[in-house]
Amino acid sequence: MSGRPWRRLWREWLSPALFALLLTQFGASAVRVDGVSMLPTLRHGELLALPKAEGWAHRLGLGGYHRGDLVVFKPPRTLAAEWRRDYRGVPLPWAYRPDLIKRVVGVPGDRVAMRAGRLYVNGRAVAEPRVLGYWGALCPDRASRLANTVAQAPDHTGLPETVVPPRTYFVMGDNRSPGGSLDSRSFGPVAAWDIEARAVASLWPLAARRDAVPACDGQPYPERRVRATGSLQPNVRLLVATPR
């Protein structure tokens, strides 16, 4: 008789919880966008689907990510500003690194640079019509250090560059306003092991306003001041990598 309560606890509670944990860690999961670093591609609050199994395969050296992929990852452990001790205002007894989502712009061996807010990979300007068109009409950053990356070694044109090391990726947010994205321009390339998975689809909300206009005021919590305008349009979609 003494073993029956434990068997019932395992059958009704522990085994489903273990299955859910294994599924979300090694199968598939979802993550919510927090902030505006990926505007105009992603908006604050969107729920994204992640194929965790693919992410684990890439961590183990089976395949890899491509330029244009949207990836979810942990920021470097050495980045003190990205450690948190609360979750949505609730204090926690431990510190953790919240996930970030950015776009892969450089793969191992690539030479990456920024000049006057324009992205260059392997000496060539990258066509980003939607990103540059969006921010160019609002509050483009062309003069800051992040818009003009520091050189590791200049190429034949004199353009400062960063060479992406093996098993790492150079990632950037689509937000090209002043201070709009904390990314590899600040903390360097991201190790493949720290990348959890690609974001492959937006699941929620089902519909969103056509346009999102940021405040461009440089104040904290910019996601609270984004003005959504225009007609409602379907928002559920696949997140196809932008050709690079």
PDB file of all heavy atoms in Angstrom, residues 134-141 175-178 214-217:
ATOM      1  N   TYR A 134      12.862  51.533 -43.342  1.00  0.00           N
ATOM      2  CA  TYR A 134      12.037  51.797 -42.160  1.00  0.00           C
ATOM      3  C   TYR A 134      12.715  52.802 -41.238  1.00  0.00           C
ATOM      4  O   TYR A 134      12.153  53.840 -40.888  1.00  0.00           O
ATOM      5  CB  TYR A 134      11.782  50.479 -41.441  1.00  0.00           C
ATOM      6  CG  TYR A 134      10.977  50.586 -40.161  1.00  0.00           C
ATOM      7  CD1 TYR A 134       9.593  50.582 -40.177  1.00  0.00           C
ATOM      8  CD2 TYR A 134      11.616  50.667 -38.928  1.00  0.00           C
ATOM      9  CE1 TYR A 134       8.853  50.661 -39.004  1.00  0.00           C
ATOM     10  CE2 TYR A 134      10.885  50.740 -37.743  1.00  0.00           C
ATOM     11  CZ  TYR A 134       9.508  50.742 -37.789  1.00  0.00           C
ATOM     12  OH  TYR A 134       8.804  50.814 -36.617  1.00  0.00           O
ATOM     13  N   TRP A 135      13.970  52.509 -40.853  1.00  0.00           N
ATOM     14  CA  TRP A 135      14.645  53.382 -39.896  1.00  0.00           C
ATOM     15  C   TRP A 135      15.117  54.675 -40.542  1.00  0.00           C
ATOM     16  O   TRP A 135      15.194  55.721 -39.875  1.00  0.00           O
ATOM     17  CB  TRP A 135      15.794  52.640 -39.236  1.00  0.00           C
ATOM     18  CG  TRP A 135      15.288  51.586 -38.297  1.00  0.00           C
ATOM     19  CD1 TRP A 135      15.293  50.240 -38.491  1.00  0.00           C
ATOM     20  CD2 TRP A 135      14.635  51.814 -37.060  1.00  0.00           C
ATOM     21  NE1 TRP A 135      14.689  49.604 -37.433  1.00  0.00           N
ATOM     22  CE2 TRP A 135      14.271  50.550 -36.532  1.00  0.00           C
ATOM     23  CE3 TRP A 135      14.308  52.950 -36.322  1.00  0.00           C
ATOM     24  CZ2 TRP A 135      13.609  50.401 -35.331  1.00  0.00           C
ATOM     25  CZ3 TRP A 135      13.650  52.801 -35.104  1.00  0.00           C
ATOM     26  CH2 TRP A 135      13.304  51.537 -34.627  1.00  0.00           C
ATOM     27  N   GLY A 136      15.426  54.645 -41.824  1.00  0.00           N
ATOM     28  CA  GLY A 136      15.846  55.875 -42.496  1.00  0.00           C
ATOM     29  C   GLY A 136      14.777  56.945 -42.488  1.00  0.00           C
ATOM     30  O   GLY A 136      15.086  58.141 -42.508  1.00  0.00           O
ATOM     31  N   ALA A 137      13.519  56.524 -42.433  1.00  0.00           N
ATOM     32  CA  ALA A 137      12.411  57.477 -42.403  1.00  0.00           C
ATOM     33  C   ALA A 137      12.053  57.918 -40.984  1.00  0.00           C
ATOM     34  O   ALA A 137      11.200  58.796 -40.821  1.00  0.00           O
ATOM     35  CB  ALA A 137      11.185  56.855 -43.067  1.00  0.00           C
ATOM     36  N   LEU A 138      12.697  57.305 -39.969  1.00  0.00           N
ATOM     37  CA  LEU A 138      12.321  57.597 -38.586  1.00  0.00           C
ATOM     38  C   LEU A 138      13.478  58.201 -37.798  1.00  0.00           C
ATOM     39  O   LEU A 138      13.565  59.410 -37.639  1.00  0.00           O
ATOM     40  CB  LEU A 138      11.813  56.311 -37.912  1.00  0.00           C
ATOM     41  CG  LEU A 138      10.513  55.740 -38.483  1.00  0.00           C
ATOM     42  CD1 LEU A 138      10.265  54.329 -37.955  1.00  0.00           C
ATOM     43  CD2 LEU A 138       9.337  56.653 -38.125  1.00  0.00           C
ATOM     44  N   CYS A 139      14.370  57.357 -37.299  1.00  0.00           N
ATOM     45  CA  CYS A 139      15.467  57.847 -36.451  1.00  0.00           C
ATOM     46  C   CYS A 139      16.710  56.997 -36.682  1.00  0.00           C
ATOM     47  O   CYS A 139      17.100  56.224 -35.808  1.00  0.00           O
ATOM     48  CB  CYS A 139      15.065  57.837 -34.980  1.00  0.00           C
ATOM     49  SG  CYS A 139      14.151  56.357 -34.450  1.00  0.00           S
ATOM     50  N   PRO A 140      17.330  57.106 -37.853  1.00  0.00           N
ATOM     51  CA  PRO A 140      18.496  56.268 -38.153  1.00  0.00           C
ATOM     52  C   PRO A 140      19.719  56.670 -37.335  1.00  0.00           C
ATOM     53  O   PRO A 140      19.938  57.850 -37.045  1.00  0.00           O
ATOM     54  CB  PRO A 140      18.728  56.538 -39.641  1.00  0.00           C
ATOM     55  CG  PRO A 140      18.217  57.925 -39.848  1.00  0.00           C
ATOM     56  CD  PRO A 140      17.016  58.044 -38.946  1.00  0.00           C
ATOM     57  N   ASP A 141      20.512  55.663 -36.962  1.00  0.00           N
ATOM     58  CA  ASP A 141      21.773  55.892 -36.275  1.00  0.00           C
ATOM     59  C   ASP A 141      22.892  55.756 -37.304  1.00  0.00           C
ATOM     60  O   ASP A 141      23.164  54.662 -37.794  1.00  0.00           O
ATOM     61  CB  ASP A 141      21.949  54.866 -35.153  1.00  0.00           C
ATOM     62  CG  ASP A 141      23.283  55.012 -34.436  1.00  0.00           C
ATOM     63  OD1 ASP A 141      23.943  56.056 -34.620  1.00  0.00           O
ATOM     64  OD2 ASP A 141      23.663  54.088 -33.698  1.00  0.00           O
ATOM     65  N   ASN A 175      16.759  46.763 -35.382  1.00  0.00           N
ATOM     66  CA  ASN A 175      16.545  48.130 -34.920  1.00  0.00           C
ATOM     67  C   ASN A 175      17.835  48.927 -35.128  1.00  0.00           C
ATOM     68  O   ASN A 175      18.831  48.688 -34.451  1.00  0.00           O
ATOM     69  CB  ASN A 175      16.141  48.141 -33.447  1.00  0.00           C
ATOM     70  CG  ASN A 175      15.725  49.510 -32.954  1.00  0.00           C
ATOM     71  OD1 ASN A 175      16.204  50.533 -33.427  1.00  0.00           O
ATOM     72  ND2 ASN A 175      14.819  49.530 -31.986  1.00  0.00           N
ATOM     73  N   ARG A 176      17.811  49.882 -36.049  1.00  0.00           N
ATOM     74  CA  ARG A 176      19.003  50.677 -36.363  1.00  0.00           C
ATOM     75  C   ARG A 176      18.863  52.117 -35.877  1.00  0.00           C
ATOM     76  O   ARG A 176      19.459  53.037 -36.442  1.00  0.00           O
ATOM     77  CB  ARG A 176      19.269  50.651 -37.871  1.00  0.00           C
ATOM     78  CG  ARG A 176      19.434  49.256 -38.436  1.00  0.00           C
ATOM     79  CD  ARG A 176      20.647  48.527 -37.868  1.00  0.00           C
ATOM     80  NE  ARG A 176      20.658  47.142 -38.281  1.00  0.00           N
ATOM     81  CZ  ARG A 176      21.067  46.707 -39.467  1.00  0.00           C
ATOM     82  NH1 ARG A 176      21.502  47.575 -40.348  1.00  0.00           N
ATOM     83  NH2 ARG A 176      21.048  45.432 -39.757  1.00  0.00           N
ATOM     84  N   SER A 177      18.112  52.306 -34.798  1.00  0.00           N
ATOM     85  CA  SER A 177      18.039  53.615 -34.173  1.00  0.00           C
ATOM     86  C   SER A 177      19.140  53.712 -33.118  1.00  0.00           C
ATOM     87  O   SER A 177      19.747  52.706 -32.748  1.00  0.00           O
ATOM     88  CB  SER A 177      16.662  53.811 -33.526  1.00  0.00           C
ATOM     89  OG  SER A 177      16.506  52.930 -32.418  1.00  0.00           O
ATOM     90  N   PRO A 178      19.463  54.910 -32.612  1.00  0.00           N
ATOM     91  CA  PRO A 178      20.513  55.038 -31.599  1.00  0.00           C
ATOM     92  C   PRO A 178      20.207  54.189 -30.359  1.00  0.00           C
ATOM     93  O   PRO A 178      19.165  54.346 -29.727  1.00  0.00           O
ATOM     94  CB  PRO A 178      20.493  56.535 -31.264  1.00  0.00           C
ATOM     95  CG  PRO A 178      19.972  57.181 -32.505  1.00  0.00           C
ATOM     96  CD  PRO A 178      18.948  56.220 -33.040  1.00  0.00           C
ATOM     97  N   PRO A 214       7.894  53.740 -33.636  1.00  0.00           N
ATOM     98  CA  PRO A 214       8.535  53.917 -32.327  1.00  0.00           C
ATOM     99  C   PRO A 214       8.603  55.387 -31.939  1.00  0.00           C
ATOM    100  O   PRO A 214       8.507  56.287 -32.782  1.00  0.00           O
ATOM    101  CB  PRO A 214       9.930  53.329 -32.553  1.00  0.00           C
ATOM    102  CG  PRO A 214      10.184  53.564 -34.010  1.00  0.00           C
ATOM    103  CD  PRO A 214       8.855  53.404 -34.695  1.00  0.00           C
ATOM    104  N   ALA A 215       8.820  55.629 -30.637  1.00  0.00           N
ATOM    105  CA  ALA A 215       8.847  57.002 -30.140  1.00  0.00           C
ATOM    106  C   ALA A 215      10.138  57.723 -30.516  1.00  0.00           C
ATOM    107  O   ALA A 215      10.155  58.956 -30.642  1.00  0.00           O
ATOM    108  CB  ALA A 215       8.681  57.006 -28.621  1.00  0.00           C
ATOM    109  N   CYS A 216      11.242  56.977 -30.676  1.00  0.00           N
ATOM    110  CA  CYS A 216      12.539  57.578 -31.023  1.00  0.00           C
ATOM    111  C   CYS A 216      12.961  58.654 -30.016  1.00  0.00           C
ATOM    112  O   CYS A 216      13.552  59.677 -30.385  1.00  0.00           O
ATOM    113  CB  CYS A 216      12.507  58.189 -32.426  1.00  0.00           C
ATOM    114  SG  CYS A 216      12.404  56.971 -33.760  1.00  0.00           S
ATOM    115  N   ASP A 217      12.659  58.417 -28.728  1.00  0.00           N
ATOM    116  CA  ASP A 217      12.987  59.419 -27.715  1.00  0.00           C
ATOM    117  C   ASP A 217      14.154  59.015 -26.821  1.00  0.00           C
ATOM    118  O   ASP A 217      14.564  59.779 -25.943  1.00  0.00           O
ATOM    119  CB  ASP A 217      11.761  59.727 -26.858  1.00  0.00           C
ATOM    120  CG  ASP A 217      11.176  58.479 -26.190  1.00  0.00           C
ATOM    121  OD1 ASP A 217      11.817  57.409 -26.220  1.00  0.00           O
ATOM    122  OD2 ASP A 217      10.056  58.575 -25.639  1.00  0.00           O
TER     123      ASP A 217
END
